[in-house]
């Protein structure tokens, strides 16, 4: 492919404005532009653009720009972490309250329901009714095991919920 073919490329027009035409193309490009109004217009438009860009003032960044931005990101991250800890604390509190309520209600609520079933079954279920009398005591004895089972169920649930918790407010501060 020749260095100059037909009209000027954008790169050639820009090089001509910058006075940086390549040695092999210089003669043919200059000869073509002298005769081609279309390429003269292209070169002129790049010249105007170059002048406009030179006049454009880029305001200097404050010396502490990077430090300031990083500090703001850091503050937003800390706020997000604080919100996540709060959410986890609230969830843990709810789970603990649920477990306590479960254990407390269990001792009282289970015994009557078992007794009700036993009464309907009549004399055949006498042994069950006798056993029902022991149920609150039984729940008391196995209280620790019940708490452990509830915790085994609740903890993975808590972890999953904590991971799902977004912090959109903190992200918005950065934007
Ligand atoms: Zn041309």
């Amino acid at each position: 492919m020749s260095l100059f073919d037909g009209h000027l490329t954008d790169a050639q027009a820009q090089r001509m404005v910058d006075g940086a035409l390549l040695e092999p193309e210089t003669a043919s490009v200059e000869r073509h532009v002298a005769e081609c109004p279309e390429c003269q217009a292209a070169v002129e438009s790049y010249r105007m653009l170059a002048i406009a860009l030179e006049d454009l003032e880029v305001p200097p960044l404050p010396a502490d720009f990077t430090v300031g931005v990083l500090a703001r990101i850091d503050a937003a991250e800390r706020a997000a972490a604080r919100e996540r800890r709060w959410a986890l604390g609230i969830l843990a509190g709810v789970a603990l309250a649920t477990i306590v309520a479960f254990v407390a209600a269990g001792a009282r609520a289970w015994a009557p329901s078992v007794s009700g079933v036993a009464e309907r079954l009549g004399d055949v279920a006498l042994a069950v009714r006798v056993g029902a009398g022991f149920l609150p005591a039984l729940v008391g004895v196995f209280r620790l095991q019940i708490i452990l089972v509830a915790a085994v169920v609740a903890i993975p649930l808590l972890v999953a919920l904590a991971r799902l918790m977004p912090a959109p407010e903190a992200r918005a501060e950065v934007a």
Side-chain angles (χ1 to χ4, degrees), residues 4 6-8 32-33 35-40:
F4 181 67
H7 293 291
L8 266 64
H32 175 81
V33 170
E35 296 168 355
C36 178
E38 202 179 316
C39 288
Q40 283 167 15

Coordinates of all heavy atoms in Angstrom, one line a residue, residues 4 6-8 32-33 35-40, ligand 1:
F4 N 0.5 7.4 0.1 CA -0.5 8.4 -0.2 C -1.4 7.9 -1.4 O -0.9 7.6 -2.4 CB 0.1 9.7 -0.5 CG -1.0 10.8 -0.8 CD1 -1.8 11.2 0.2 CD2 -1.2 11.3 -2.1 CE1 -2.8 12.1 -0.1 CE2 -2.1 12.2 -2.4 CZ -3.0 12.6 -1.4
G6 N -5.2 8.6 -3.2 CA -6.5 9.3 -3.2 C -6.5 10.6 -2.4 O -5.6 11.5 -2.6
H7 N -7.4 10.7 -1.4 CA -7.4 11.9 -0.5 C -6.5 11.6 0.7 O -6.2 10.4 1.0 CB -8.8 12.2 -0.1 CG -9.7 12.7 -1.2 ND1 -9.5 13.9 -1.9 CD2 -10.7 12.1 -1.9 CE1 -10.3 14.0 -2.8 NE2 -11.1 13.0 -2.9
L8 N -6.3 12.6 1.5 CA -5.6 12.5 2.8 C -6.4 11.7 3.8 O -7.6 11.8 3.9 CB -5.3 13.9 3.4 CG -4.0 14.6 3.0 CD1 -3.9 14.9 1.6 CD2 -3.8 15.8 3.9
H32 N -1.0 17.3 -3.4 CA -2.5 17.0 -3.5 C -3.3 18.1 -2.8 O -4.3 18.5 -3.4 CB -2.8 15.6 -2.9 CG -4.2 15.3 -2.9 ND1 -4.9 14.8 -4.0 CD2 -5.2 15.5 -1.9 CE1 -6.2 14.7 -3.7 NE2 -6.4 15.0 -2.4
V33 N -2.9 18.5 -1.6 CA -3.7 19.5 -0.9 C -3.8 20.8 -1.6 O -4.8 21.4 -1.6 CB -3.0 19.7 0.5 CG1 -3.7 20.9 1.3 CG2 -3.2 18.4 1.4
E35 N -4.1 21.2 -4.6 CA -5.1 21.1 -5.7 C -6.5 20.6 -5.3 O -7.4 20.7 -6.1 CB -4.6 20.1 -6.8 CG -3.3 20.6 -7.5 CD -2.6 19.5 -8.3 OE1 -3.2 18.3 -8.3 OE2 -1.6 19.7 -8.9
C36 N -6.6 20.1 -4.0 CA -7.9 19.5 -3.6 C -8.6 20.3 -2.6 O -8.1 20.3 -1.4 CB -7.6 18.1 -3.1 SG -9.1 17.2 -2.5
P37 N -9.7 21.0 -2.9 CA -10.4 21.8 -1.9 C -10.9 20.9 -0.7 O -11.0 21.4 0.4 CB -11.6 22.3 -2.7 CG -11.3 22.2 -4.1 CD -10.3 21.0 -4.2
E38 N -11.3 19.7 -1.0 CA -11.8 18.8 0.0 C -10.8 18.6 1.1 O -11.1 18.7 2.3 CB -12.3 17.5 -0.6 CG -13.3 16.7 0.2 CD -13.7 15.4 -0.5 OE1 -13.9 15.4 -1.7 OE2 -13.7 14.4 0.2
C39 N -9.5 18.3 0.7 CA -8.5 18.0 1.7 C -8.0 19.3 2.3 O -7.6 19.3 3.5 CB -7.3 17.3 1.0 SG -7.7 15.5 0.6
Q40 N -8.1 20.4 1.6 CA -7.8 21.7 2.2 C -8.7 22.0 3.4 O -8.3 22.4 4.4 CB -7.9 22.8 1.2 CG -6.7 22.9 0.2 CD -7.0 23.8 -1.0 OE1 -8.0 24.6 -1.0 NE2 -6.2 23.7 -2.1
Ligands
LIG1 ZN1 -8.1 15.3 -1.6

